[in-house]
Structures are given as C-alpha cells and as structure tokens.
Amino acid sequence: MATIFVLALLVVSLVFGFAVGSDVHPGQKAPYRIHTLFSVECQNYFDWQTVGLMNSFKKARQPGPITRLLSCTDDEKKNYKGMHLAPTLEVPSMSRHPKTGDWYPAINKPAGIVHWLKHSKDAENVDWVVILDADMIIRGPIIPWELGAEKGQPVAAYYGYLVGCDNILAELHTKHPELCDKVGGLLAMHIDDLRALAPMWLSKTEEVREDKAHWTTNITGDIYGQGWISEMYGYSFGAAEVGLRHKINDNLMIYPGYIPREGVEPILFHYGLPFRVGNWSFSKLEHHEDNIVYDCDRLFPEPPYPREVKLMESDPNKRRALFLSVECINTLNEGLLLQHAADGCPKPKWSKYMSFLKSRTFEELTRPKLLTPDIKKTEVAQQRQVMDEPGKPHPKIHTIFSTECTRYFDWQTVGLVHSFHKSGQPGNITRLLSCTDEDLEHYNGHDLAPTHYVPSMSRHPLTGDWYPAINKPAAVLHWLNHANVDAEFIVILDADMIMRGPITPWEFKAAHGRPVSTPYDYLIGCDNELAKLHTRHPEACDKVGGVIIMHIDDLRKFAMLWLHKTEEVRADKAHYATNITGDIYSSGWISEMYGYSFGAAELNLRHRISKEILIYPGYVPEPGVKYRVFHYGLEYVVGNWSFDKANWRDVDIINKCWAKFPDPPDTSTLDRSDENILQRDLLSLECAKTLDEALRLHHIRRNCHDPTLVSKSDSGITKEPGLRKFGRLGKIDSVRSNPMLLNHSQESSLPAEKDGLFSSLRLWIVALWAFSGLGFLVVMVVVFSGRKGKGTRGKNYRNKKRSSYSGFLDVSGRDKLIRSDDD
C-alpha cells in the first residue's frame, strides 16, 4: 500500500512538473516569459528548504522555469550531495567577502543574481522574474502582471521592520531616501528593471554591511544589532537609487502563525520565524545542520490533524491561521517524502500521517490557490500616461542642459537661457555645470543661469581618457541623485541651441516608458555590429538625440546606463571607424550619443521620433512646420556671411562689454527667387539675431557703460583694422587672418590684464621720482637762489608723466609722450 502511495505521488509530481513550464492555469498559456529564482548555499540547511520549495513550485503550477542560485566554495563542492535537488546555476561564493574578509553569507543573494544576469542564457529569454527565498512555500501561481507589476514598478511584499528607510540610515546610503520602500521577500519585476537594479543591490549591501556604526536595533530594526539584514537594506536603497517604486502588496505572503486578513488567501508562505499549533511547534533554526534530506524515512515532526485543529480555536480567522501553519509543514514533509523516493530510499513504513498525506482532506488543503480581487490590491496606483485631455492639468516640466566652465559654453548659455524665457517653455531651467576645482577658482560665470554644479569627468577618473562629452550623462546622473526634482517630465537640450517655442510632453505625446526625441540618422551604428556589441537589444536602438523629452521615472532608471554605455563605446577604439559609427573624424567623439541610444535600448525605451522639433540653421525647412529649436552645431552661411560656433571657442564674448558676433545681413538683402532658400536663410538669420539680442541684454544687465559715452582712449584702440568700435569684434574672416587682432581686442577690455602693465609703470615712476628728487637736492645746494624755478618745473614734469600713464597701455605710445614733454 505504501509503495502504491509513493508511486502515485511521484506520478502526480511529474504531471504537474510537465505542466509547470507553460501553463498559468490549465489550458491557459502565459503571454509573457517568467523565470523564478532563489538563492542558497551548499549546506544541509538549504537543501531541505530547496526540497520544500521545489515541491510547492510544482504543486502550485508556477509558470516558467525555476533556477537555484547555488553559492559554494570549491571546498564545499567537493563534499556536496545535493546538486540534483533543483535546476541549478553554480555561483562563486561571497560568504567571505573577497576584499574585506567579512563573513556575511546573505550577500550571496544579490551577488548570485548579478552572476545569473551575466552568465545565464535564461536571462536573455525572459520578460519577468520572480525572486523568492528558499524558506518559502508557494501556494498558487505568482503571475507578475496579474499582481499589477509594471516596468518601473515591481511588486513586493511589505517588510515593515525596515525602519532604516525612515531615519538616518536611508539619508546616509541613498540620495533618494524618499524613494526607500520597506519591501522584500517576494519580488516580481521586469527583467530590464532587474538589470538596472542588481549591481546597485550588491554595492549597497556592501555599503550598509560596512556601516557598523549604524547597526543598532533602533536604526535598522535588526533585533540582533549585527547588520544581518544589510542585504535587505541593500535592496531597498539600491531600488531607490535607480528610481524603482514598488507596488507593495501585504496580502500575497504570510508568515505561518500570523492571522490572515479576512477574505484574503495568501499565495506564499515564508516560514522564517518560529510558529506553533497547540503543543506542536516548528523553527527552521532548530534544523540548521539537519541531514533530513539524506536520512531515508525521516520527516519533520507531524503537526496536529485537521480534526484536532478545529477543536483548538472557535474564531474562524484564527482557526484558518492554524490550518495555514499545518499546510506549510505538511507541504515540506510531502516534498521530503518524494525526494526520498526519487533518491532510491526503501519504501516507507505505513503510518497514520502518511495516510493523511494521501487523503482528500490534504488534497483540498494544498490545491493551487488563485488570485482574488482582494489579494491583488497594492498601495501604489498605476502610472497614468500623459494625454492632452481638456480640463486635465498638465504635468510639471523641468528643462536641463549640460555645460563646462569655459568661455565657449558661457556665450551659448546666455543664448539658450534668453531663448528659454522668450519661448514660453513651462517650468524651470537648470544648467548642469561640470567643472574641476581648479576651474571653479577662476570661473566668473556663476550668474548666467540657475546652476547645479557637477564634478568634471572630462578627464576620466579611472582611465585618464580625455572626453568632455561624457559630462552630459554624468551630469544628468549627478543632478538626479543630488537635486530635489518635483517635475514629472524632463526636457534635455544641448547648450548650442536656441528655443523658438515650448517643447511639451503633451503636444509631442511623450509618456511613461515612451520618450520623445529627434532623428540623428547618422548614428549608423544602430544598424550594424556596433549595436550588437554594446546592447542586448540592437533591434531597440533608436537613432535619436538632440532634444529629449523623458518621464522622470524612466530617466532615473536610464541615466546610469547612459553613462556606462558611453564609457563602454568610448573604450571600444577598435570600432571608431566612420563606416561603423558615422563619425567623420573616426575619433569616438560621438560615443556619448551612442551611449544614449544603447542605454535606452537596454531598457527597451522606444522613442517617438519627431522631425518637427529641431532644425539646423542652414537646412531647408519642411513647409508649414513650426520648429521649436535651432541647433547651431554646424557652420551655416547666408550670402557672404557665415557663422561657425567652433571659431568662437576661446573668445571671451561674455565678459567684454558690448562684444558680439558679426552682424548678419538684413533680411531685405536676401534673394527671394527661391522660396525654399529664402525660408532657410530667414531661419538662419533668426538664430543669429537671437544670439546677438541675448548678448546685448546680457551686457545691459552687467551695467556696461553706454557705448556712445566711451572715452576717446577706447575709441582710439578700436580704430585698429578689423575691429569694430567700442570693442566689438570684427568679422570671423578678420580674426582668422590676423590672430593678433583678437588678442589685442581681448587685452583692451580686460582690467585684469591691464593691472600687470600698470604695476610696472608705477615702479618705473617711483624710481624716476627718486632720481629726480636726488638731483633736485644737489641743484638746491649748488645754486639755491637761481635754480628754484627749474625745481618747480621738475615737479610739474613728474605730475604730467603720472597722468599720462593712467590712460594708455601701449609701451611705444608711452615713450612718445615722455619725449614730447621733454621737447
């Protein structure tokens, strides 16, 4: 009889096992791929937990495969007997930290997941991941999308004892303590979210584990005060860093011994704490070294039978809690019984308990539990897409752009900020200013725009590579981590842009998970081996850039990848060639642009690509399109006039009063024979004139003197060939042909450069005055009465020289003045 019973259990187990990989419910195929993970070590303690979880996985008909992440040292593997207990990926053990030597086995969980993402082919063929602990029993299928999980919003169980989310611990270990969710246990998330989270989960676990000064119970909630739950905080802080907000469901999981909420049927047991039913009790810690998996015929002590349980408690809900506890241990024992049979143990002796395990009562108790409306309730509402609906308030917008502490970016900043205010763009604007400490000591453009200061990465801190363009993703990441951003959508521009009108998510249909950008068709690497090398989703690579409209949640997840992919592409010098990247210089200069596209592809962020937002001056516009942005990144020409921003890289237009760019031609002089060419030139002139208008207003704000009142000495300087009156710079061609003119113009208007020459003149005057004084005394002694008048003339002579020096800087001119007074 016992043999027949064991065989029957094995048949049922196999039938369920074959159904597990494809069915959500009988006859219903899962629309997305699910993979379940759990982490263990090479110990008897985890082996019996594995047996229980695997049995429940099959009984519950959980869709998709399951993988045990087995962390073992080489010595442990030599004597390990349980490799056959579950589908397994071996993971290098981090129980003893390879760098610090700290003994903390819990770190194997995030380390194992990072290893799985990197080395398992299964990780490349999955949409959703369910992460469990080994000490769990599944009661029904865990379907992430049925629980309400979304990309960017995982579902998790509530861990209320993680009090560190509300105190100094979160403030110390995440830049976004307000995003710290007290969650753990059951995790159901999109694979893209897991890829973004896993490395941060591991690093934050290490960080919290090292923070021994804050291990106390009142800060962490850890009753042992030993930092044992550092991995749990590592998860919460890591999720906060990448911007994941959880849908917290307190109904899915229950600890045996806890009373369930009325009307709620949990689908997961977590027997991490001791529990009791009458005089019977169970604690997993009492079985830490238990060899029960490999001891034939031995099970955990049998719990009370249902008839006995009914007599223990009259309250229906408390009685239901007792039944749940009994179900948990019975499922564990059933798994052990099946495993013993599979391992070839002799048939077990008949017992009343074995008779119960084959009864209809037990079958009813362990039938897969399906989700109910009450169990699906979560605390976070589903994110709404942005729609331009009448009467609906528009979301907040924040515009950002990245610059460096240079003259080149300063005049671009003045132009962009001026156009921002003219355009009617909603929200605020912030300049992300990347500077070294040395740059900041000498920088005087702090007041040009609302500014967030960012450490410069122009010289990479690790590789030493000189690549200033990397400051853009690095600055965006820094801003997200250090600024209080209350906007829902972020508009990202480049400094060399002029806004013509508002850029809003509601007009261009940006949404959560669906950013908007402009076409950069020359990013041909999206279509060739470059994308295949640098993203797992080359088919998701969009050739975009310039203007970006992105939801803040997407940006928080994406920014780190943008930076990392930029570093990755920049380091791939073997693929700098123009035929691969489209970079005409073949120098890797557009690595940051590919970093953006490949980073977005990693998260499957597919863009709405709009050709109606941006135009380059000099390009022929599409008829009827109201472009919102000029991008003057390329040289453009109107007749004999041209503008190329690169020619003004080292010119200080901002700090010299009334300096401006060459005057563009008047619109009345344009050729009107070709309408397309006319519209092209009109837009080009509009861009140039907006820049000059911005500079003029900037000089007014700086209290520059009225140019009509400038002294004669100033006008004398500006009469040099190729320079305009009042210190304004001449045409680009004049500067190109005679660099000395540019240098002279800079010197003539910068007081700092004047001081050095004036100091040398003052020393010369003092020496001359001393010599003259000595001569005067000699003359007074020799011929006192007859030479008195000459002494007076000498004094006037000295005064004239002093007044002459204060107005002139040219040394040759100074010498001429001295000689004229002597004559």
Side-chain angles (χ1 to χ4, degrees):
M1 187 68 181
T3 303
I4 295 174
F5 166 66
V6 170
L7 290 174
L9 285 176
L10 284 171
V11 170
V12 171
S13 176
L14 289 172
V15 171
F16 281 166
F18 285 121
V20 158
S22 58
D23 292 342
V24 178
H25 306 306
Q28 179 181 350
K29 189 173 182 179
Y32 302 102
R33 298 165 296 178
I34 305 175
H35 201 112
T36 303
L37 300 174
F38 68 104
S39 174
V40 300
E41 298 158 47
C42 287
Q43 298 174 11
N44 291 337
Y45 178 64
F46 285 106
D47 284 356
W48 62 257
Q49 295 177 36
T50 295
V51 167
L53 179 58
M54 289 302 300
N55 181 47
S56 70
F57 177 88
K58 297 170 185 176
K59 287 171 66 70
R61 304 185 188 184
Q62 173 68 10
I66 187 170
T67 297
R68 173 180 62 162
L69 306 177
L70 183 63
S71 301
C72 303
T73 64
D74 292 338
D75 289 337
E76 288 173 332
K77 278 196 293 185
K78 292 177 182 177
N79 302 313
Y80 185 61
K81 299 181 291 184
M83 199 62 72
H84 64 295
L85 298 179
T88 299
L89 176 68
E90 295 182 44
V91 177
S93 175
M94 276 189 67
S95 295
R96 179 74 66 189
H97 197 283
K99 294 183 179 179
T100 66
D102 178 45
W103 177 258
Y104 182 58
I107 201 173
N108 285 312
K109 184 175 182 180
I113 290 171
V114 169
H115 189 87
W116 179 77
L117 288 170
K118 187 175 182 180
H119 297 284
S120 174
K121 292 183 178 179
D122 289 332
E124 300 174 3
N125 298 287
V126 65
D127 302 302
W128 294 92
V129 179
V130 175
I131 303 174
L132 304 177
D133 288 336
D135 58 344
M136 290 181 171
I137 295 294
I138 307 173
R139 303 183 72 229
I142 303 169
I143 316 298
W145 56 91
E146 289 189 7
L147 297 176
E150 296 179 86
K151 194 173 179 181
Q153 290 188 329
V155 166
Y158 182 59
Y159 272 14
Y161 58 83
L162 296 178
V163 296
C165 276
D166 301 326
N167 60 38
I168 190 174
L169 198 66
E171 295 172 4
L172 287 170
H173 295 290
T174 173
K175 301 177 184 70
H176 304 287
E178 73 282 1
L179 300 183
C180 184
D181 292 328
K182 302 176 190 175
V183 294
L186 163 68
L187 303 169
M189 67 175 63
H190 196 275
I191 183 64
D192 293 339
D193 294 333
L194 185 60
R195 291 190 190 281
L197 165 68
M200 193 65 70
W201 183 359
L202 177 58
S203 65
K204 288 295 176 182
T205 297
E206 294 171 306
E207 187 177 306
V208 177
R209 179 66 183 171
E210 292 173 4
D211 185 12
K212 296 182 180 181
H214 296 93
W215 278 5
T216 56
T217 302
N218 63 317
I219 293 178
T220 63
D222 181 1
I223 59 173
Y224 303 106
Q226 296 296 315
W228 197 248
I229 58 176
S230 298
E231 174 273 323
M232 299 179 187
Y233 279 114
Y235 176 87
S236 291
F237 295 159
E241 288 292 278
V242 299
L244 293 180
R245 296 312 306 268
H246 294 80
K247 293 188 174 183
I248 303 174
N249 194 316
D250 203 19
N251 299 324
L252 297 173
M253 185 186 81
I254 193 170
Y255 288 90
Y258 282 32
I259 298 174
R261 295 180 181 177
E262 190 171 354
V264 171
E265 191 68 77
I267 60 172
L268 191 68
F269 292 136
H270 188 188
Y271 55 91
L273 302 175
F275 57 100
R276 176 181 296 275
V277 179
N279 294 325
W280 175 94
S281 65
F282 180 83
S283 173
K284 69 173 188 175
L285 295 178
E286 294 175 359
H287 301 273
H288 207 280
E289 302 296 331
D290 202 330
N291 200 41
I292 195 169
V293 172
Y294 309 107
D295 283 352
C296 292
D297 298 335
R298 192 163 73 83
L299 306 177
F300 292 116
E302 61 185 61
Y305 294 92
R307 187 184 306 108
E308 298 169 343
V309 172
K310 288 180 181 179
L311 300 175
M312 291 179 184
E313 183 59 60
S314 60
D315 183 280
N317 220 34
K318 293 180 179 179
R319 186 167 61 238
R320 192 159 66 99
L322 298 178
F323 274 112
L324 292 176
S325 296
V326 168
E327 179 185 343
C328 177
I329 195 65
N330 284 337
T331 306
L332 261 173
N333 276 335
E334 181 188 34
L336 288 170
L337 189 64
L338 289 169
Q339 189 62 52
H340 290 159
D343 288 346
C345 287
K347 61 180 181 181
K349 297 179 181 179
W350 182 92
S351 68
K352 182 181 178 182
Y353 184 51
M354 288 183 59
S355 178
F356 166 73
L357 291 179
K358 68 173 184 177
S359 68
R360 183 176 297 274
T361 301
F362 180 71
E363 181 184 353
E364 290 292 333
L365 284 172
T366 57
R367 181 174 295 173
K369 307 300 184 292
L370 304 181
L371 294 174
T372 63
D374 286 335
I375 202 173
K376 295 180 183 180
K377 290 180 181 178
T378 57
E379 293 183 4
V380 180
Q382 184 175 352
Q383 182 73 39
R384 297 175 300 173
Q385 287 192 340
V386 176
M387 305 293 290
D388 192 14
E389 300 174 359
K392 178 182 176 180
H394 290 309
K396 288 184 177 181
I397 306 174
H398 198 112
T399 303
I400 59 175
F401 66 103
S402 174
T403 71
E404 299 160 38
C405 286
T406 65
R407 297 169 174 177
Y408 181 58
F409 281 109
D410 281 357
W411 62 257
Q412 295 177 36
T413 296
V414 168
L416 176 56
V417 173
H418 168 70
S419 67
F420 170 86
H421 293 298
K422 282 188 64 178
S423 69
Q425 174 73 355
N428 298 318
I429 188 169
T430 296
R431 171 180 61 165
L432 310 180
L433 185 62
S434 300
C435 306
T436 64
D437 292 340
E438 184 179 357
D439 290 335
L440 284 174
E441 289 178 4
H442 307 287
Y443 184 67
N444 57 4
H446 300 282
D447 60 344
L448 298 180
T451 300
H452 175 80
Y453 295 89
V454 181
S456 175
M457 274 190 67
S458 295
R459 178 76 64 192
H460 197 283
L462 298 179
T463 66
D465 178 43
W466 177 258
Y467 183 54
I470 200 173
N471 284 312
K472 185 175 181 179
V476 171
L477 182 62
H478 190 278
W479 179 70
L480 290 171
N481 288 334
H482 292 84
N484 292 322
V485 184
D486 64 349
E488 189 173 346
F489 280 88
I490 308 301
V491 176
I492 304 175
L493 304 177
D494 287 335
D496 58 343
M497 291 182 174
I498 294 293
M499 296 186 68
R500 303 181 69 234
I503 305 168
T504 61
W506 51 88
E507 180 175 359
F508 293 101
K509 307 303 180 186
H512 189 197
R514 189 72 163 165
V516 169
S517 192
T518 52
Y520 270 17
D521 294 331
Y522 57 84
L523 296 179
I524 58 175
C526 275
D527 301 325
N528 60 38
E529 62 198 84
L530 197 67
K532 295 176 182 178
L533 286 169
H534 294 290
T535 173
R536 286 178 286 268
H537 305 290
E539 75 283 353
C541 183
D542 292 330
K543 292 182 271 190
V544 295
V547 176
I548 300 161
I549 313 171
M550 186 176 289
H551 194 278
I552 185 65
D553 292 342
D554 294 328
L555 187 59
R556 291 191 191 282
K557 290 183 293 183
F558 163 69
M560 180 69 78
L561 278 172
W562 184 3
L563 175 60
H564 285 173
K565 289 297 177 182
T566 298
E567 294 173 312
E568 187 178 300
V569 177
R570 179 67 180 172
D572 184 11
K573 295 182 179 180
H575 295 91
Y576 274 8
T578 301
N579 65 317
I580 294 178
T581 64
D583 179 4
I584 60 174
Y585 304 107
S586 298
S587 62
W589 198 250
I590 59 175
S591 299
E592 174 272 316
M593 300 179 187
Y594 279 114
Y596 178 90
S597 292
F598 295 159
E602 285 295 281
L603 295 180
N604 273 313
L605 283 178
R606 301 309 305 267
H607 295 76
R608 296 185 189 275
I609 303 175
S610 174
K611 297 181 179 180
E612 299 185 355
I613 299 176
L614 177 148
I615 188 170
Y616 289 89
Y619 280 35
V620 176
E622 291 291 329
V625 176
K626 184 182 178 182
Y627 296 99
R628 307 305 170 88
V629 171
F630 289 128
H631 190 187
Y632 54 90
L634 305 174
E635 181 180 23
Y636 57 101
V637 179
V638 179
N640 294 325
W641 175 93
S642 66
F643 182 83
D644 185 348
K645 69 171 187 175
N647 293 327
W648 303 87
R649 182 174 293 276
D650 298 315
V651 182
D652 190 1
I653 300 180
I654 295 303
N655 296 307
K656 288 182 298 208
C657 281
W658 309 114
K660 72 182 188 74
F661 299 112
D663 289 331
D666 191 88
T667 55
S668 62
T669 65
L670 298 179
D671 182 5
R672 299 178 181 269
S673 60
D674 188 318
E675 182 62 24
N676 287 334
I677 300 301
L678 175 62
Q679 293 303 318
R680 178 200 68 186
D681 290 348
L682 286 172
L683 288 176
S684 296
L685 296 182
E686 178 187 336
C687 180
K689 290 180 178 179
T690 304
L691 262 175
D692 269 345
E693 179 189 19
L695 288 170
R696 183 182 64 82
L697 294 174
H698 166 75
H699 293 314
I700 292 174
R701 286 192 299 271
R702 291 175 70 90
N703 295 319
C704 287
H705 295 297
D706 190 327
T708 61
L709 301 178
V710 176
S711 66
K712 291 182 179 180
S713 61
D714 285 337
S715 57
I717 292 173
T718 56
K719 288 180 183 177
E720 295 285 348
L723 291 177
R724 296 185 181 273
K725 198 173 182 180
F726 310 131
R728 293 177 182 175
L729 298 178
K731 290 187 177 181
I732 298 175
D733 293 337
S734 300
V735 176
R736 285 175 180 163
S737 61
N738 189 357
M740 291 303 296
L741 297 180
L742 175 59
N743 293 337
H744 179 81
S745 173
Q746 288 172 297
E747 290 173 1
S748 66
S749 60
L750 290 177
E753 296 180 15
K754 188 189 299 181
D755 291 343
L757 181 56
F758 186 79
S759 297
S760 63
L761 291 174
R762 185 169 56 188
L763 290 173
W764 186 86
I765 291 170
V766 171
L768 183 60
W769 179 85
F771 178 78
S772 299
L774 182 60
F776 174 72
L777 291 174
V778 172
V779 171
M780 288 290 289
V781 170
V782 177
V783 278
F784 177 79
S785 58
R787 309 301 289 175
K788 185 175 181 180
K790 274 193 176 181
T792 304
R793 179 177 179 269
K795 184 177 180 179
N796 292 336
Y797 171 58
R798 289 192 300 274
N799 289 339
K800 286 181 181 178
K801 283 188 289 185
R802 284 198 190 99
S803 62
S804 299
Y805 303 151
S806 63
F808 293 86
L809 302 178
D810 190 271
V811 176
S812 61
R814 178 191 67 203
D815 292 341
K816 291 177 182 178
L817 286 169
I818 295 174
R819 285 196 294 270
S820 66
D821 277 3
D822 284 335
D823 291 340

